[in-house]
Amino acid sequence: MSDYDPQELEARWRERWAETGRYEADPADAPDDEETTFITVPYPYPSGGMHIGHARTYTVPDVYARYRRQQGDNVLFPMGWHVTGTPIIGAVERLKKGEETQLSVLKDTYNVPEDTLEELETPMGFARHFIEQHYKQGMKSLGLSVDWRREFTTNDDRYSKFITWQYETLKDRGLLEKGLHPVKYCTNERQPVTTHDLLEGETAEYQEYTLVRFSFERDGETVVAPMATLRPETVHGVTNAYIDPDAEYVVADVNGESWFVSAEAAEKLRLQAYEVAVHETVSGEELVGARVTNPITDDEVLVLPASFVDADNATGVVMSVPAHSPDDFVALQEAKADTERLQQYGIDPAEVTAIDPIPILEIEDYGEIPAQVAVESRGIESSDDPALAEATKELYNTEFHSGAMLDMYGEYSGEIVEDIRDQFRDDYRDSGAFDTMYEFSEEVICRCGGDVVVAEQDTWFLRYNDEAWKAKTKEVVDGMDAIPENTRGEYDHTIDWLNEWPCIRNYGLGTRLPWDTDFVIEPLSDSTIYMSYYTVAHRLQDVPVDELSREFFDTLFYGAEATDDPDERALELREEWDYWYPVNYRFSANDLISNHLTFYLFHHAELFDQPNWPQGIVVMGMGLLEGEKMSSSKGHVVLPGTAIEKYGADTVRFFLLNSAEPWQDYDWRDDQVESVRNQLDRFWNRAQELINGPEGDEELTHIDHWLLSKLQDTVESVTESMETSETRSASQAAFYGFEENLRWYRRRTDTERPGARWTLRKVLETRLRLLAPFVPFMANELHEQLTGTAAEDAPWPDVDESLIRPDVELQERQIERLTDDVHDIVGVTETDPDVVRVYVAADWKREVFDVVARQRLAARQTPSDDVADAGDDVGAVMGRVMQNPDLREKGNEVNQLVQDLVDVTRGQDDDSVDAMAEMDEYATYEETTEFLAREFDADVELYVEGEDAYDPGDRASAAVPFRPAIHIE
RNA sequence: GCGAGGGUGGCUGAGCUAGGCCAAAAGCGGCGGGCUUAAGACCCGCUUCCGUAGGGAUUCGCGAGUUCAAAUCUCGUCCCUCGCACCA
């Protein structure tokens, strides 16, 4: 008998799998494509090493793959490498610059040897290192059943040909369009930057300001003073405007008109695709005291000086809506009070005093002037009051969700702001009264130290806002399996919400935009249909790159009719594509629903026919390490290699799959992993005993039938869980759940008995097959030792109906109950009994039970809305019982008993009640006395209540059917 | 703000979709006992409170409701986590 040595046995199996190409899947293995399973995971992005958090992402699908194989499917589980975009390039640059944290991540966290660092100084060298030394090695160590012949990187020439085909096709179908799009732009480096390039403001959001085109006369010319606002619908409530008198403004030619904006704003507008030529630089003071005309109402309003206006935000000119903005309300009050300042700017204070707030919408509990109520109810008296910001936030919020527009809004009157804001803005933008400008919600600074602003750049984007495309994608969602089911709504929501998506970048690895090679197709856009590429990747190597034309892929994916002169090789490949597709399940991370996974659905909906649409997606949660987020820069990671060395791959796998369901977050805790290892050790040792011990023979007793019956339960529930990728429930049931049964079994019987031997070996064999997807190394090894074949080559167990024994299970439940009861009594009384007396209920009590059971049966056959209630109807039972004169005599005693028995059967299913009706209690306990005697080291005496039972404790009368009375002394 | 998911006994975490067998699985931790030269290994039992008879009391964020019956259903409320775009 050998000890459990995972390192040795796992190495042996890895070698065997590699040598025999065990997981290389070909159509020839099983020509009927009804029995194929094709599963994918997002290909890893090797911009760093693999840690234990990644390990589960790839192990969950492996478990499913192994399960389907045992179910008889030909299973394809491929792997590739995503290198598109900038992260790898960025990592290489940081390495070349000798950046400290980067060096530490590489050397300390991922153990890159000093003399290897140089190899990492090219992007693909960097990627190659982590692919080979980390991901691939980690995956092989974990025992992932991947078909390695099909791997590729997204920077490969052939892959690029494939992406080229995809984007040319999309362009032809009108789903790719050129246009302007807001991007983050560093004013120092004069180029677009990504979130990773930022020093500050990583969480900044784009805010779309509406510019309300107020205007005034200047030197006989009409000049536009665009007021920036996030609440365009308040335009009827404008009473005045504010400008910073001390800031620098310009008069500029903007798209052929004259505009008055802050100097910063002119630059931003230029970046946002306005034609801007600055004519004149002026002080903000120039506009103070001027009257500007509201383009919607034609009202003229006064421009007041205000130091709170930020010239570096939007246009530097703002409109004032004192009725609905607490800020504006307070500002106006302060302006009115400071007559001296007004006079200094040549403004008649009386004119300002005359300004009254103009209400434009109505909300409950806020009176006529909501801003006034908001300010005064909080006792705010000055613009310095911190409560003002809170008042503003709350009022804006309330107005947005429940503010109803007043009469001056014509067709919009009575409508809620939330419902009409966008429409209102669009209408006036179309009519020329409004313009648009983008601004960040907070300050954004580049790593180079430069200011980052919103720029609009000419770009190509995918038209995810196309209604027909959205509709088709929703059909994909409707037809697929979303696991867990509650994610389905998220896909629909994302489809609704998704807008145009810029799909190119200025630099990075990947595929060039075919018709404009200055640009690269970005990572989320070159990873939408690559699952189809796996089906032919290995065989595509035989076709010269140059010959992978548009027509080639058209033939491959759309058939011989798609082109005039179909390529024979493409037609051959098409057969394999056809064989594997569609993807049965894609396993991915839950935060990818809002982009990658939904893109995946979009592109499949468009490019492939319905039979090739995704069949299912399983979404996964993320991993924590000792309760904290993993972080490679902090070195807070566990590498798979380290963990496998310490515990063995099976332990690592089992922990990852058993600690939480795939879609739940899980926490890698050393003590828990350690404990899993101990459990596997124990399992191994027990198995060894059985394998090396006598085979026994099939002379089965009651308890053997019980265990085999329980085994069928387990097979059924494990299978059910596997079907929906519930790896936790499945492994829990197959492993821990069944251990519970074994514990009881060992207590109940002599396991050296030949029948027990036979039973335990049978149970072991079945469990090894159930566990093979989870702990393939150990399960295969033990199964082979036991039967001569590996578990993965044995079929998945079926439920054997003939072994399901409800009667035996019920009897065993009663025995356990009786044992527990005796234990309870021993515990409470703190006695060590010499004798245990058990009294089975008298026959007449059993008759009453039969009436209860019959009543249940009768109720079941009577269609009724509340079958359960009718079956438990105490009155009906009493009626029947009282028809028996012998029972009627017992009066109250019977009444109480019926109550008790109805309680006993309530909540039991019909089969259980049937089994109870059939059960012979006395006989059951009679066979148990020996066990009880052993269990309590006492004499056990069994009596029937009455019938001259020896009853020194006067307890026999307490007996109830299925609840025998007990006396110990 | 918008969208999604949660709050269960010392911790992790089932159960809650089909209310009753739920004082509430399992693992960890803790306690006691056994095995052993010994052990972080293994085996058995206990681990809300009360109780010298298998029982009772109070629990599943908080408050209210529906019901014979609620961790499970309804409403309200507080709190937490995640995603929100050009970033893989």
Side-chain angles (χ1 to χ4, degrees):
Chain A
M1 183 168 124
S2 59
D3 283 340
Y4 180 41
D5 179 359
Q7 311 311 339
E8 184 275 322
L9 88 90
E10 287 170 5
R12 204 148 32 76
W13 281 90
R14 271 180 214 120
E15 200 174 320
R16 179 157 152 187
W17 287 331
E19 275 176 8
T20 59
R22 179 64 179 78
Y23 304 114
E24 293 175 2
D26 289 303
D29 300 340
D32 180 1
D33 75 357
E34 289 302 297
E35 290 170 7
T36 65
T37 293
F38 180 25
I39 62 173
T40 66
V41 292
Y43 36 24
Y45 202 98
S47 58
M50 179 181 181
H51 58 66
I52 208 74
H54 302 116
R56 192 180 72 155
T57 311
Y58 310 119
T59 309
V60 170
D62 182 65
V63 169
Y64 187 75
R66 289 174 175 280
Y67 163 69
R68 292 307 316 173
R69 272 189 208 102
Q70 278 179 268
Q71 284 282 21
D73 276 11
N74 194 12
V75 176
L76 176 57
F77 178 24
M79 193 63 68
W81 315 102
H82 202 194
V83 298
T84 307
T86 57
I88 291 173
I89 291 177
V92 169
E93 275 167 12
R94 288 199 295 280
L95 165 65
K96 288 206 284 198
K97 268 191 232 161
E99 207 180 88
E100 198 117 339
T101 51
Q102 177 68 351
L103 285 172
S104 155
V105 167
L106 294 176
K107 290 199 289 197
D108 305 335
T109 305
Y110 292 120
N111 306 318
V112 179
E114 187 76 48
D115 56 6
T116 308
L117 282 176
E118 206 185 322
E119 287 174 26
L120 308 197
E121 290 189 2
T122 65
M124 286 313 288
F126 189 98
R128 213 18 92 186
H129 175 82
F130 284 106
I131 289 169
E132 297 298 333
Q133 305 304 317
H134 286 256
Y135 279 95
K136 214 161 149 184
Q137 206 175 64
M139 289 173 172
K140 286 184 173 176
S141 301
L142 282 165
L144 301 193
S145 54
V146 167
D147 181 350
W148 288 109
R149 295 172 305 164
R150 299 168 188 260
E151 65 172 320
F152 58 85
T153 83
T154 59
N155 204 44
D156 293 355
D157 291 341
R158 288 180 176 77
Y159 187 81
S160 281
K161 290 290 184 183
F162 165 69
I163 298 299
T164 300
W165 168 81
Q166 181 186 3
Y167 276 80
E168 284 178 340
T169 304
L170 289 169
K171 187 178 176 228
D172 282 359
R173 297 190 185 195
L175 294 172
L176 213 57
E177 217 170 66
K178 195 176 187 177
L180 291 171
H181 206 90
V183 296
K184 295 185 174 104
Y185 185 92
C186 174
T187 53
N188 182 34
E189 295 173 309
R190 295 180 179 275
Q191 66 169 354
V193 291
T194 69
T195 307
H196 287 299
D197 301 323
L198 300 181
L199 195 64
E200 270 175 47
E202 282 163 56
T203 60
E205 291 174 30
Y206 292 104
Q207 286 186 321
E208 186 182 326
Y209 279 88
T210 297
L211 304 185
V212 181
R213 292 163 50 91
F214 279 70
S215 59
F216 62 103
E217 294 292 317
R218 182 174 188 269
D219 300 336
E221 181 191 35
T222 301
V223 175
V224 176
M227 309 278 171
T229 178
L230 292 169
R231 303 202 301 162
E233 75 284 356
T234 59
V235 68
H236 278 276
V238 177
T239 58
N240 61 289
Y242 292 113
I243 193 166
D244 181 355
D246 302 322
E248 191 176 296
Y249 284 75
V250 297
V251 177
D253 189 278
V254 176
N255 289 356
E257 302 172 330
S258 207
W259 281 29
F260 190 102
V261 294
S262 73
E264 293 92 337
E267 183 59 18
K268 288 174 191 165
L269 288 168
R270 198 182 56 73
L271 287 168
Q272 290 179 22
Y274 285 87
E275 293 280 334
V276 179
V278 174
H279 290 317
E280 205 181 320
T281 301
V282 297
S283 151
E285 189 173 348
E286 186 191 312
L287 203 60
V288 172
R291 292 176 177 281
V292 292
T293 305
N294 185 325
I296 308 300
T297 63
D298 278 336
D299 290 341
E300 288 199 342
V301 300
L302 196 56
V303 180
L304 301 179
S307 53
F308 61 80
V309 173
D310 181 0
D312 195 18
N313 190 41
T315 56
V317 197
V318 299
M319 60 191 209
S320 163
V321 186
H324 298 287
S325 161
D327 282 330
D328 291 346
F329 184 83
V330 172
L332 184 60
Q333 278 185 322
E334 288 181 345
K336 286 177 180 178
D338 196 351
T339 53
E340 201 175 309
R341 182 171 154 88
L342 291 174
Q343 280 164 340
Q344 190 187 320
Y345 285 103
I347 298 171
D348 178 2
E351 241 185 291
V352 176
T353 312
I355 296 176
D356 282 327
I358 305 172
I360 51 120
L361 51 80
E362 192 171 48
I363 44 170
E364 267 179 48
D365 305 328
Y366 269 97
E368 201 188 348
I369 314 286
Q372 182 170 16
V373 173
V375 166
E376 289 174 358
S377 69
R378 284 181 174 77
I380 297 168
E381 289 181 348
S382 132
S383 52
D384 302 329
D385 192 329
L388 186 58
E390 187 203 327
T392 299
K393 192 178 165 199
E394 193 191 309
L395 183 61
Y396 276 27
N397 201 9
T398 311
E399 290 188 341
F400 182 65
H401 292 293
S402 58
M405 310 310 297
L406 295 181
D407 290 346
M408 69 269 253
Y409 281 84
E411 57 173 310
Y412 298 108
S413 65
E415 299 283 342
I416 302 299
V417 175
E418 185 173 10
D419 302 328
I420 57 97
R421 176 179 286 170
D422 290 353
Q423 187 62 44
F424 183 86
R425 181 198 59 208
D426 293 348
D427 283 357
Y428 282 107
R429 191 151 61 190
D430 292 346
S431 76
F434 292 172
D435 277 305
T436 300
M437 172 176 189
Y438 292 95
E439 189 67 89
F440 286 118
S441 55
E442 58 187 278
E443 192 172 21
V444 182
I445 312 244
C446 182
R447 281 202 168 145
C448 77
D451 275 341
V452 175
V453 299
V454 185
E456 286 205 284
Q457 283 217 322
D458 227 4
T459 186
W460 284 88
F461 49 77
L462 286 158
R463 296 185 49 234
Y464 291 133
N465 54 341
D466 184 273
E467 287 306 322
W469 199 4
K470 280 181 194 279
K472 214 183 310 179
T473 307
K474 283 198 177 172
E475 278 181 50
V476 180
V477 175
D478 286 345
M480 77 176 194
D481 204 1
I483 297 179
E485 181 58 36
N486 62 24
T487 55
R488 188 181 300 282
E490 283 198 67
Y491 295 105
D492 281 332
H493 180 256
T494 304
I495 291 167
D496 285 335
W497 158 88
L498 219 45
N499 221 317
E500 296 167 335
W501 181 270
C503 59
I504 56 170
R505 295 291 175 272
N506 293 315
Y507 64 103
L509 297 176
T511 302
R512 302 265 147 192
L513 193 65
W515 52 90
D516 188 346
T517 53
D518 282 348
F519 296 104
V520 181
I521 295 168
E522 62 87 36
L524 285 165
S525 300
D526 84 339
S527 57
T528 59
I529 55 164
Y530 70 91
M531 312 79 205
S532 61
Y533 191 83
Y534 283 128
T535 64
V536 297
H538 55 317
R539 296 170 61 190
L540 221 46
Q541 299 300 328
D542 300 334
V543 183
V545 175
D546 297 347
E547 294 172 33
L548 295 174
S549 61
R550 178 102 184 260
E551 290 70 29
F552 185 93
F553 284 108
D554 274 343
T555 306
L556 204 174
F557 292 120
Y558 299 142
E561 299 75 36
T563 54
D564 296 336
D565 181 22
D567 187 303
E568 275 306 315
R569 294 163 300 182
L571 285 171
E572 274 172 39
L573 294 177
R574 176 173 174 75
E575 282 177 31
E576 178 147 10
W577 177 70
D578 222 21
Y579 177 81
W580 294 114
Y581 239 62
V583 178
N584 295 83
Y585 280 105
R586 181 161 181 77
F587 292 78
S588 188
N590 54 16
D591 54 339
L592 262 42
I593 292 177
S594 62
N595 48 50
H596 164 70
L597 286 170
T598 302
F599 292 2
Y600 162 66
L601 301 178
F602 263 98
H603 286 249
H604 274 79
E606 175 59 35
L607 292 168
F608 297 129
D609 293 341
Q610 187 168 3
N612 287 314
W613 285 355
Q615 304 285 294
I617 296 178
V618 180
V619 138
M620 288 192 271
M622 57 161 216
L624 299 175
L625 176 53
E626 305 290 343
E628 279 178 60
K629 243 183 174 158
M630 290 183 223
S631 154
S632 46
S633 61
K634 286 182 195 151
H636 187 61
V637 290
V638 170
L639 303 188
T642 316
I644 290 170
E645 226 168 274
K646 184 166 174 194
Y647 302 109
D650 278 332
T651 297
V652 171
R653 291 175 62 107
F654 198 78
F655 176 82
L656 291 173
L657 296 158
N658 184 259
S659 63
E661 297 294 3
W663 45 90
Q664 297 173 321
D665 294 346
Y666 66 99
D667 188 4
W668 178 274
R669 283 170 43 186
D670 235 21
D671 58 343
Q672 302 264 336
V673 182
E674 179 79 43
S675 143
V676 168
R677 170 59 199 267
N678 290 337
Q679 300 275 10
L680 292 186
D681 263 328
R682 184 174 55 180
F683 184 91
W684 173 272
N685 291 337
R686 289 244 163 84
Q688 286 298 323
E689 273 173 48
L690 285 171
I691 290 166
N692 299 308
E695 288 186 22
D697 48 58
E698 197 174 346
E699 295 163 3
L700 305 186
T701 63
H702 169 88
I703 194 69
D704 302 325
H705 287 299
W706 174 80
L707 193 66
L708 292 169
S709 184
K710 283 291 183 189
L711 184 66
Q712 308 314 309
D713 274 357
T714 302
V715 170
E716 189 179 0
S717 72
V718 172
T719 307
E720 261 175 40
S721 298
M722 289 306 287
E723 280 301 322
T724 48
S725 295
E726 291 171 63
T727 61
R728 178 185 153 88
S729 323
S731 55
Q732 193 86 8
F735 197 82
Y736 295 103
F738 205 81
E739 284 297 322
E740 291 288 293
N741 294 326
L742 283 171
R743 201 174 298 172
W744 177 247
Y745 180 81
R746 275 185 226 108
R747 206 164 138 191
R748 284 277 284 129
T749 193
D750 169 18
T751 54
E752 299 300 321
R753 187 168 47 80
R757 249 18 239 198
W758 187 92
T759 304
L760 285 170
R761 286 173 68 103
K762 167 108 179 156
V763 163
L764 175 64
E765 183 182 334
T766 303
R767 284 179 81 205
L768 286 171
R769 294 184 196 182
L770 296 178
L771 290 168
F774 299 93
V775 286
F777 301 98
M778 170 189 266
N780 280 329
E781 177 73 20
L782 291 173
H783 196 275
E784 193 168 70
Q785 289 181 11
L786 184 69
T787 69
T789 50
E792 64 185 346
D793 298 323
W796 188 258
D798 284 325
V799 174
D800 183 343
E801 299 288 341
S802 71
L803 293 177
I804 299 177
R805 295 286 298 274
D807 54 333
V808 174
E809 290 195 33
L810 172 68
Q811 288 166 21
E812 212 46 40
R813 217 164 30 239
Q814 285 302 125
I815 293 165
E816 200 174 349
R817 177 84 192 254
L818 176 61
T819 313
D820 284 350
D821 279 350
V822 177
H823 266 296
D824 276 356
I825 296 168
V826 168
V828 170
T829 57
E830 291 174 5
T831 46
D832 183 10
D834 294 321
V835 55
V836 174
R837 296 190 186 86
V838 177
Y839 304 92
V840 177
D843 287 349
W844 69 267
K845 290 182 176 173
R846 183 56 192 241
E847 278 173 43
V848 173
F849 175 82
D850 290 341
V851 174
V852 172
R854 273 203 303 278
Q855 177 64 27
R856 273 287 291 261
L857 184 68
R860 195 191 322 168
Q861 287 164 346
T862 315
S864 155
D865 287 342
D866 47 356
V867 175
D869 288 349
D872 295 336
D873 185 342
V874 176
V877 175
M878 283 304 289
R880 282 171 180 252
V881 170
M882 288 308 171
Q883 284 167 18
N884 181 331
D886 292 342
L887 294 178
R888 191 159 54 214
E889 266 178 33
K890 304 195 185 279
N892 272 343
E893 205 181 341
V894 176
N895 198 352
Q896 186 54 52
L897 182 63
V898 169
Q899 293 280 359
D900 290 350
L901 288 173
V902 167
D903 275 347
V904 167
T905 56
R906 194 202 305 268
Q908 299 280 353
D909 59 42
D910 291 335
D911 288 345
S912 301
V913 176
D914 283 346
M916 288 167 92
E918 295 294 317
M919 179 177 156
D920 180 342
E921 266 196 279
Y922 188 88
T924 301
Y925 302 140
E926 198 171 29
E927 287 174 18
T928 316
T929 51
E930 200 186 319
F931 162 67
L932 290 174
R934 191 158 19 93
E935 187 81 3
F936 297 101
D937 192 22
D939 292 335
V940 175
E941 296 166 10
L942 180 63
Y943 303 97
V944 175
E945 176 192 359
E947 299 187 13
D948 302 325
Y950 177 55
D951 186 14
D954 192 23
R955 309 216 61 88
S957 63
V960 171
F962 305 101
R963 208 73 206 283
I966 299 161
H967 178 234
I968 65 171
E969 64 176 357

